[in-house]
Amino acid sequence: MSSPTYIYKLVPTSSPVPDIVPDVLPLSDLDANSGFIHLSTAAQIPNTLRHFFADQDAVYVLRLVYAHVEKEIRWEGPQATVCGDRSDEGMFPHLYNGKPPKLGKDEVESVRLFTRVGDIWETTIIPEAQGWLVE
């Protein structure tokens, strides 16, 4: 597997991300309980949105430069107990950079707000992400 240029963190708008990313963003309950930060590749984002953000009208997508966090990433399979089998999506990047893990201005390269169009996220991803959501 070749290394991606970017990996991504999805954050609900109920946990607002400010215009200037702070040193440390609050952890989601899932990340805090897991002991690592769940991330996705660009190709994995549509299903991550469908499985974990179906009830959200908007999400923040945080883009991380993979080379900046590569040493702290473990590629691991998805746990089917969380949202069902996602083995066809390959391994997922997980950030292990401390106890508790942190994500903030040193890791986040840029942020976009994606607002869902219609009933499904897949119709949103194509127009809003062109040129920004890349592997």
Side-chain angles (χ1 to χ4, degrees), residues 36-107:
F36 58 84
I37 296 175
H38 294 261
L39 302 168
S40 298
T41 64
Q44 294 165 336
I45 286 179
N47 280 334
T48 299
L49 285 167
R50 185 164 18 100
H51 289 293
F52 291 98
F53 297 90
D55 63 339
Q56 301 286 314
D57 291 327
V59 297
Y60 292 104
V61 180
L62 287 60
R63 184 164 81 173
L64 290 70
V65 176
Y66 182 71
H68 295 173
V69 295
E70 181 175 10
K71 292 178 182 176
E72 298 162 326
I73 295 292
R74 292 187 205 161
W75 290 89
E76 300 171 319
Q79 292 183 353
T81 58
V82 175
C83 65
D85 182 32
R86 293 180 70 185
S87 59
D88 60 330
E89 293 181 71
M91 304 297 267
F92 283 76
H94 295 147
L95 180 64
Y96 289 86
N97 65 346
K99 293 185 182 193
K102 77 172 199 68
L103 188 61
K105 70 177 184 179
D106 291 340
E107 295 81 24

Side-chain angles (χ1 to χ4, degrees), residues 46 49 114 117 121-133:
L49 285 167
F114 286 8
V117 176
W121 276 106
E122 287 80 349
T123 57
T124 300
I125 295 304
I126 302 303
E128 284 203 37
Q130 263 185 345
W132 186 80
L133 191 61

